Amino acid sequence: MPPITIHLSGAFRAEQHGKPLDALSRRAQGLLAYLVCQPGMRAERGALADLLWSDRSEEQARASLRQELSVLRKLLAEALEADRRTVWLKPGAVHAEYGTGEFL
């Protein structure tokens, strides 16, 4: 089983090696849930910034995304990758658990 499991039924839950990741902000949770549901578990930075910080200017939203990614990289070790255009979860490092309940 991959080291990180994201539960998408009921309330958001994430586990790393079976232990809960409780230090995730609401936006970090949204970012991870969004990525894990995307083809290839990847998304454009601009789409993520607009989705999660739609109440801010583009420049502020992108800066907030950079900050959130910095925090997530420290927490998730090598499971999260990004370049200038795209953010993705490494295949095999993250598993989505859909369960039988209501989606998030």
Side-chain angles (χ1 to χ4, degrees):
M1 175 165 277
I4 298 171
T5 301
I6 298 174
H7 299 270
L8 298 173
S9 60
F12 178 92
R13 289 181 301 132
E15 299 171 348
Q16 188 169 31
H17 300 291
K19 295 181 182 178
L21 289 173
D22 295 328
L24 296 173
S25 71
R26 300 281 287 163
R27 285 191 168 119
Q29 292 175 11
L31 188 147
L32 291 174
Y34 184 80
L35 284 175
V36 81
C37 291
Q38 296 305 301
M41 293 193 288
R42 62 179 50 234
E44 295 287 323
R45 279 180 176 261
L48 290 169
D50 188 47
L51 177 70
L52 298 169
W53 291 276
S54 61
D55 60 332
R56 299 187 186 168
S57 71
E58 182 179 353
E59 184 178 319
Q60 288 175 321
R62 287 183 176 267
S64 295
L65 176 61
R66 278 192 301 277
Q67 178 64 33
E68 197 68 58
L69 290 174
S70 176
V71 170
L72 280 172
R73 278 191 199 107
K74 291 174 188 169
L75 188 62
L76 303 179
E78 298 180 17
L80 179 74
E81 293 285 330
D83 60 23
R84 295 182 64 84
R85 300 181 76 189
T86 309
V87 177
W88 66 94
L89 297 169
K90 281 185 157 181
V94 179
H95 170 73
E97 187 68 42
Y98 292 93
T100 58
E102 221 176 293
F103 181 77
L104 295 178

